Amino acid sequence: MLHTIIKRNSYQDSVNLMLLTNYISALEGVMQASIMMGTPANKDIMCNSGLYTDELEPAGANDMCIVIDTETHSGLDDILVAVDSFLSDQSVNSSQSSTESVRSWERALKENPHANLAIISVPGQYAAAEADKALDYGLHAFIFSDNVPVEEELSLKRKAHDKGLLVMGPDCGTGVISGVPLAFANRVKAGNIGIVGASGTGIQEVTTLIDRMGGGISHAIGTGGRDLSEGVGAITMLDSIRGLAHNEQTEVIVIISKPPSETVREKVVSQLQGLPKPVVTLFLGEKPSGHEGNVYEAYTLEEAAMIAIDLAKGAAVQPLYSMPIDVPKTALNPGQTSIQGLYAGGTLAAEAAMLIADALQLKDGLIHEAGYVLRSNGHVIVDLGDDMYTQGKPHPMIDPATRIQHIEKAAQDPATAVILFDVVLGYGGHDDVAGVLAPAIEKAAAKAKTEGRNLYFVAALCGTHQDPQSYAEQKRKLEQAGVVVKESNNQAVRTVLAMMQLVLEDVPKTHRPAAKTVPEMFSASAAIEALLAGKPSVINVGLRKFTESITASGAPAIQYDWRPIAGGSVKMQHILNQLKDYRFTS
């Protein structure tokens, strides 16, 4: 029985609503629940999930839509009380925050006149317009929002390039500027290694490994996953490389990306070979055989970090980076033949799939279908951060509920031998993900035991000892639950491969001079050099929790509590923006 409640003019950000949905869904008597703002896209999601009702039709983008599927009418009043209580707690937390908030761009710029960076985390259909405003105000834009059309991304990045600004994203999960964490990022020590990466967890893995190996980060610039596509042409990556090349704090540059098109790759590598600084490249999915000139090619995220550390110390780069793996003894039934990888981080999932595909000598390698990045010979790697798993739900790094469901399902399969997963710490993520996952892991292992099977769990723990979650405590909780914990994704995957009697061969790399002459160097823009010269001054447009990590790092930030204008109509907003531009230029 579906019940619909519309709360007029009660805008909440998407993370709060997703957490509220999970909270209400767990209440007794609730079979299913969906709580979203009344945008057309959200109504489509409700329709596809079987939770659409006619009462939703007049709801607008500023109206909170609550649809609850219950067995009876009884208990509905208690559920609504729980909704109001949750929202009241969020309101109290916001009012107690020391962060100043505003409700317009004009006010934000008045309160923070020296702002040079805007973080955009509004719903995807509105993100490009807000980023465009940021560029007009002379701010670099960090677009956390996803579901932005590639045509709008290209337009924004071309405009930013012409203005000497950076557009990081869309779908940019991670950044670190002068020690200030942006979005999902870790607290890392300062140092001389600068990173440009297309991904979120790829940057997190490399920066945290460098930190724990004793090195430090100058900057980590995210570009978004499509930047190195043929259609976008690496606009942000190339401008970021120029910025790091002229940044005094940066002595070594690391590039992280899935394989780009051949023409884009050639353009990027050509610029790298013209730099006066050494560079480490990781094009995930490629297995390089050697280094060329000042460009050192890595196979895994861990190898990229290890090469960068040696270069930062002035040490020689080794032909082979490998380490002994402590492999636990296993006792598996003959039918237990599969690895089940349940990842929150997309790049970590892709790296795991790459290594397993290499060990299996698969010709096809990685796939991208229905949330899977590998599905072969019974082995599965799932990216639980994929859009198909996060529509209307929190990202698994924020809320582990989806991953727990997949752990339960994988554990029931008698073919499952090992469940492989990542635990990513840092700002933006869950406060105690190990503490939430541990009971589910213990329960799954115990149930398998009663069925005559030993079920093994191996985790890659990504984080630093400075992160808001305690690295040591998270590791202890996982190990107490019987999990084999490794300090890199590479080590975790290789451990699982060894447990399954699979071999992954590494080949020593050669080093040859650069084949091409050094191209003409381009200078970085004054605005990019200024951004990298010190802590950013931020206007945070959207998710409030991103502001908290910025101010905790000593950087100035204003919280812009964004709301859709014009009833949420993108077309009407476009018209209003054109009228505003006309007024300013007339």
Side-chain angles (χ1 to χ4, degrees):
M1 185 177 299
L2 296 181
H3 305 277
T4 304
I5 301 97
I6 309 295
K7 288 182 171 288
R8 302 289 180 187
N9 295 314
S10 298
Y11 186 87
Q12 290 282 328
D13 71 49
S14 58
V15 171
N16 280 345
L17 293 180
M18 291 173 184
L19 294 175
L20 174 57
T21 298
N22 281 7
Y23 174 67
I24 297 302
S25 298
L27 296 178
E28 186 176 354
V30 176
M31 294 185 291
Q32 196 176 0
S34 183
I35 305 175
M36 300 180 177
M37 303 311 298
T39 66
N42 286 342
K43 290 178 185 178
D44 287 343
I45 292 173
M46 287 185 169
C47 186
N48 293 333
S49 63
L51 292 174
Y52 187 85
T53 66
D54 292 339
E55 291 91 333
L56 294 173
E57 181 62 29
N62 282 298
D63 300 330
M64 187 188 304
C65 301
I66 304 170
V67 181
I68 301 172
D69 187 4
T70 63
E71 296 176 353
T72 64
H73 281 289
S74 62
L76 183 60
D77 289 342
D78 292 338
I79 293 170
L80 295 179
V81 169
V83 170
D84 289 337
S85 176
F86 183 96
L87 294 174
S88 177
D89 289 343
Q90 297 302 312
S91 178
V92 169
N93 290 339
S94 295
S95 65
Q96 291 177 346
S97 171
S98 60
T99 302
E100 185 174 354
S101 62
V102 297
R103 292 288 297 275
S104 71
W105 275 105
E106 290 75 16
R107 186 67 183 176
L109 290 162
K110 183 177 181 180
E111 296 296 330
N112 190 5
H114 302 295
N116 61 358
L117 174 65
I119 299 178
I120 312 292
S121 57
V122 302
Q125 64 265 44
Y126 310 112
E130 299 306 319
D132 193 62
K133 292 174 188 175
L135 296 177
D136 284 339
Y137 288 123
L139 279 63
H140 304 276
F142 180 105
I143 308 176
F144 179 81
S145 310
D146 57 6
N147 295 315
V148 176
V150 68
E151 297 81 9
E152 294 183 357
E153 175 178 350
L154 179 59
S155 175
L156 287 169
K157 289 186 171 181
R158 283 175 172 170
K159 180 174 181 175
H161 176 78
D162 291 342
K163 287 177 166 285
L165 299 168
L166 289 177
V167 168
M168 295 165 265
D171 199 14
C172 186
T174 302
V176 180
I177 302 296
S178 298
V180 177
L182 308 178
F184 290 117
N186 303 84
R187 173 72 67 190
V188 293
K189 293 188 288 288
N192 61 350
I193 301 172
I195 297 173
V196 186
S199 60
T201 50
I203 290 178
Q204 288 189 268
E205 176 81 342
V206 173
T207 56
T208 58
L209 286 171
I210 288 172
D211 177 280
R212 297 202 313 273
M213 291 174 188
I217 304 299
S218 58
H219 310 284
I221 303 171
T223 67
R226 296 183 306 209
D227 189 70
L228 272 74
S229 67
E230 191 77 34
V232 180
I235 294 173
T236 298
M237 178 161 282
L238 292 170
D239 283 342
S240 299
I241 289 169
R242 293 165 189 149
L244 292 178
H246 289 82
N247 179 244
E248 292 183 359
Q249 289 75 34
T250 303
E251 297 177 358
V252 176
I253 299 173
V254 179
I255 303 299
I256 306 169
S257 172
K258 294 172 185 175
S261 70
E262 191 58 36
T263 55
V264 174
R265 187 188 192 284
E266 185 176 346
K267 185 192 301 184
V268 171
V269 174
S270 176
Q271 177 158 311
L272 295 176
Q273 289 173 342
L275 298 183
K277 301 178 180 181
V279 181
V280 184
T281 62
L282 173 66
F283 295 113
L284 199 64
E286 295 183 4
K287 193 170 186 178
S289 59
H291 311 303
E292 183 175 344
N294 68 315
V295 178
Y296 299 84
E297 300 185 26
Y299 176 48
T300 66
L301 295 162
E302 184 172 40
E303 185 185 19
M306 296 173 80
I307 295 174
I309 285 284
D310 277 346
L311 290 171
K313 295 189 301 186
V317 173
Q318 303 301 310
L320 185 64
Y321 286 86
S322 61
M323 59 188 66
I325 301 292
D326 183 17
V327 182
K329 294 181 179 180
T330 58
L332 297 169
N333 294 341
Q336 287 182 273
T337 58
S338 73
I339 301 167
Q340 298 278 330
L342 305 176
Y343 276 81
T347 302
L348 297 178
E351 181 181 55
M354 174 193 75
L355 293 170
I356 294 172
D358 190 355
L360 294 172
Q361 298 182 346
L362 299 179
K363 292 181 179 180
D364 296 336
L366 307 187
I367 62 172
H368 299 281
E369 58 180 45
Y372 293 95
V373 286
L374 179 81
R375 185 162 54 175
S376 181
N377 294 24
H379 305 300
V380 168
I381 302 293
V382 183
D383 175 11
L384 295 173
D386 187 86
D387 288 348
M388 71 168 295
Y389 298 112
T390 56
Q391 273 203 348
K393 297 179 181 179
H395 192 280
M397 283 165 56
I398 297 174
D399 186 347
T402 299
R403 179 137 55 172
I404 289 173
Q405 293 172 4
H406 279 75
I407 287 173
E408 293 171 348
K409 182 179 179 181
Q412 290 171 3
D413 186 347
T416 302
V418 186
I419 294 177
L420 170 68
F421 63 102
D422 58 343
V423 173
V424 183
L425 310 182
Y427 291 102
H430 193 279
D431 292 338
D432 183 18
V433 64
V436 177
L437 292 177
I441 290 168
E442 291 174 329
K443 181 180 178 181
K447 187 174 186 298
K449 195 77 172 177
T450 63
E451 297 170 354
R453 293 179 289 124
N454 292 316
L455 184 61
Y456 298 93
F457 290 83
V458 178
L461 182 57
C462 173
T464 72
H465 295 286
Q466 303 89 254
D467 279 332
Q469 309 90 344
S470 168
Y471 186 94
E473 185 66 9
Q474 293 289 293
K475 184 178 181 181
R476 184 194 67 79
K477 288 182 179 181
L478 291 169
E479 290 179 338
Q480 193 171 24
V483 179
V484 177
V485 181
K486 296 296 180 178
E487 295 198 349
S488 77
N489 191 48
N490 175 51
Q491 291 178 37
V493 178
R494 288 173 187 264
T495 298
V496 171
L497 290 172
M499 292 167 69
M500 300 299 292
Q501 308 293 308
L502 293 169
V503 178
L504 183 62
E505 294 186 2
D506 292 298
V507 179
K509 295 185 181 70
T510 60
H511 190 189
R512 60 187 181 275
K516 296 182 179 180
T517 57
V518 176
E520 181 182 353
M521 269 299 299
F522 296 93
S523 62
S525 73
I528 293 176
E529 288 192 12
L531 175 69
L532 302 181
K535 292 183 184 294
S537 186
V538 178
I539 294 176
N540 184 45
V541 188
L543 300 178
R544 177 177 285 270
K545 68 187 309 178
F546 292 162
T547 301
E548 296 165 1
S549 59
I550 294 165
T551 55
S553 304
I558 290 291
Q559 173 64 32
Y560 174 7
D561 286 335
W562 179 90
R563 302 287 187 277
I565 61 172
S569 167
V570 176
K571 181 178 180 180
M572 185 58 68
Q573 289 182 26
H574 181 66
I575 292 172
L576 291 174
N577 288 333
Q578 285 184 320
L579 290 173
K580 184 177 179 180
D581 292 342
Y582 176 78
R583 188 174 74 247
F584 283 150
T585 56
S586 296

